[in-house]
């Protein structure tokens, strides 16, 4: 099946210099006090396109041959990968087509169009959108840049692991949002190759967590894609998954799932205590600590992975949650 290794991640880091920004690591006083260990926040939601996805998309596009670039690029996306690929393509003057389902929030569609990409809305799931991608590849010859199950994408996301180790060299626990597994696999590959004793935990939502269901089944399986505050974590991992399933199986120490209320609590904490605006997928690491579903061991790093929240859609759910230190 193959895998992505530390040399691949190091090469990706060199390749994307100038295409992404290294993001800040800060100490959370409130979470450190609550957990009894230093808790650091990796502010990747401040990345140029508002999420970590720019790392993988930039690396994958930079690795394409001239002929592949000339045909244009296409991908299925729940929003953030599409925005990242649109940005990476625009930098090189390439055509970009992004296929998405009707579940993708309007704010993400608008940003992708603003970057000059063509947007196609297909069906009610990422699997439906992927079918349209496959058609465009076959009939129009576009070059597919998948959102997660791709060696260049995984290696690009893994550069976050390198930055985490440099910023918090004594880390004992790292919490990473988990969806298709490109982010978790890349970070875990970089971290485990350097310091295998560090515990790497994937965090997802309880509603439609395809990677968790697949890991439990011992093989990639399909799940129903339903609306969730962590919309960026939706979608399947692909029944023909080549890389991320096996990497997550072999490298992650644990996977935890959060309720919608626990995700909302993470969003509220990020804003109320840290003064950071993050989307649901970007807040799951905080939610995992607040819920008690992860007990941190040693200095802990939480990845805030994205900020592209649709408050028009999610305001009522988020605002219905009690503020920390109060009761309903």
């Amino acid at each position: 099946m193959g895998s992505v290794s530390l040399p691949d991640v190091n090469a990706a880091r060199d390749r994307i210099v100038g295409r992404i920004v290294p993001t800040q690591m800060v100490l959370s006083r409130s979470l450190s006090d609550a957990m009894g260990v230093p808790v650091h926040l990796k502010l990747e939601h401040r990345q140029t396109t508002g999420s970590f996805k720019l790392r993988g998309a930039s690396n994958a596009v930079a690795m394409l041959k001239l002929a592949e670039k000339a045909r244009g690029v296409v991908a299925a996306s729940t929003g953030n990968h599409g925005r990242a690929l649109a940005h990476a393509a625009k930098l090189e003057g390439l055509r970009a087509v992004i296929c998405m389902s009707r579940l993708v929030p309007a704010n993400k569609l608008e940003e992708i169009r603003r970057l000059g990409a063509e947007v196609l809305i297909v069906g009610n799931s990422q699997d439906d959108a992927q079918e349209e991608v496959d058609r465009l590849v076959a009939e129009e010859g576009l070059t597919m840049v998948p959102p997660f199950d791709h060696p260049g994408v995984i290696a690009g996301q893994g550069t976050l692991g390198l930055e985490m180790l440099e910023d918090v060299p004594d880390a004992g626990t790292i919490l990473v949002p988990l969806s298709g597994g490109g982010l978790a696999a890349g970070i875990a590959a970089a971290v485990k190759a350097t310091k295998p004793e560090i515990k790497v935990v994937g965090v997802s939502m309880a509603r439609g967590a395809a990677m968790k269901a697949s890991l439990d089944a011992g093989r990639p399986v399909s799940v129903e894609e339903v609306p969730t505050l962590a919309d960026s974590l939706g979608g399947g991992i692909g029944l023909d998954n080549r890389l991320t399933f096996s990497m997550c199986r072999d490298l992650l120490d644990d996977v935890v799932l959060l309720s919608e209320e626990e995700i909302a609590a993470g969003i509220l904490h990020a804003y109320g205590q840290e003064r950071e605006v993050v989307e649901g997928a970007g807040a799951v690491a905080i939610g995992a600590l607040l819920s008690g579903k992860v007990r941190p061991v040693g200095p802990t790093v939480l990845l805030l992975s994205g900020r592209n929240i649709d408050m028009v859609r999610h305001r009522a759910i988020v605002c219905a949650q009690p503020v920390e230190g109060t009761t309903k």
Side-chain angles (χ1 to χ4, degrees):
M1 284 287 188
S3 188
V4 173
S5 64
L6 182 59
D8 299 316
V9 178
N10 284 325
R13 188 178 202 180
D14 293 339
R15 200 175 286 120
I16 62 178
V17 169
R19 297 170 183 255
I20 63 103
V21 295
T23 47
Q24 188 178 8
M25 183 81 75
V26 299
L27 180 70
S28 167
R29 297 292 182 186
S30 60
L31 290 173
S32 297
D33 290 344
M35 297 297 126
V37 297
V39 177
H40 304 266
L41 307 178
K42 179 63 170 170
L43 307 184
E44 185 65 11
H45 63 298
R46 296 184 182 180
Q47 188 55 254
T48 304
T49 57
S51 88
F52 72 94
K53 289 285 191 178
L54 187 60
R55 294 172 183 262
S58 295
N59 187 50
V61 167
M63 294 175 69
L64 294 177
K65 298 176 182 178
L66 290 177
E68 292 172 320
K69 292 181 179 181
R71 294 197 297 269
V73 294
V74 62
S77 175
T78 53
N80 286 336
H81 176 66
R83 184 174 177 181
L85 184 58
H87 180 90
K90 184 176 182 179
L91 285 180
E92 298 206 24
L94 311 182
R95 179 191 180 195
V97 181
I98 310 300
C99 301
M100 294 178 285
S101 81
R102 296 183 182 91
L103 294 180
V104 177
N107 66 311
K108 294 183 178 180
L109 304 180
E110 292 164 3
E111 282 300 315
I112 292 169
R113 290 192 177 106
R114 184 184 63 80
L115 288 166
E118 302 164 43
V119 173
L120 299 179
I121 305 300
V122 184
N124 296 307
S125 71
Q126 193 169 19
D127 290 338
D128 293 338
Q130 183 60 48
E131 290 182 8
E132 180 66 8
V133 170
D134 295 339
R135 184 191 71 78
L136 291 169
V137 170
E139 296 181 9
E140 298 188 22
L142 274 74
T143 301
M144 181 169 61
V145 180
F148 52 87
D149 196 34
H150 181 283
V153 170
I154 297 169
Q157 320 303 28
T159 61
L160 271 165
L162 301 179
E163 293 180 19
M164 289 174 173
L165 291 176
E166 291 171 356
D167 292 337
V168 189
D170 59 344
T173 308
I174 295 176
L175 273 62
V176 183
L178 176 64
S179 179
L183 175 64
I187 289 176
V191 169
K192 293 292 189 178
T194 308
K195 293 189 175 182
E197 69 276 11
I198 295 177
K199 184 178 181 181
V200 182
V201 179
V203 188
S204 197
M205 70 290 184
R207 305 182 67 182
M211 183 60 80
K212 181 63 164 66
S214 297
L215 292 172
D216 289 346
R219 58 182 174 81
V221 297
S222 297
V223 298
E224 181 183 2
E225 191 171 343
V226 295
T228 170
L229 282 173
D231 51 81
S232 294
L233 301 184
I237 70 167
L239 297 181
D240 58 348
N241 188 286
R242 299 180 302 115
L243 294 168
T244 60
F245 171 76
S246 59
M247 291 182 70
C248 288
R249 178 195 63 205
D250 296 342
L251 296 173
L252 293 182
D253 293 285
D254 196 8
V255 174
V256 299
L257 304 182
L258 303 186
S259 68
E260 295 298 291
E261 292 76 16
E262 289 164 344
I263 297 168
I267 296 171
L268 280 174
H269 176 93
Y271 180 73
Q273 300 296 320
E274 315 296 344
R275 289 296 183 256
E276 301 290 342
V277 175
V278 295
E279 60 187 281
V284 294
I286 295 177
L289 282 193
L290 294 177
S291 68
K293 290 181 175 177
V294 174
R295 301 290 184 182
V297 177
T300 297
V301 175
L302 311 184
L303 176 61
L304 308 191
S305 58
R307 69 168 182 258
N308 301 316
I309 188 169
D310 183 357
M311 283 306 296
V312 173
R313 176 185 291 192
H314 294 154
R315 181 184 291 113
I317 301 173
V318 174
C319 293
Q321 304 308 308
V323 177
E324 290 175 66
T326 70
T327 57
K328 288 185 179 180

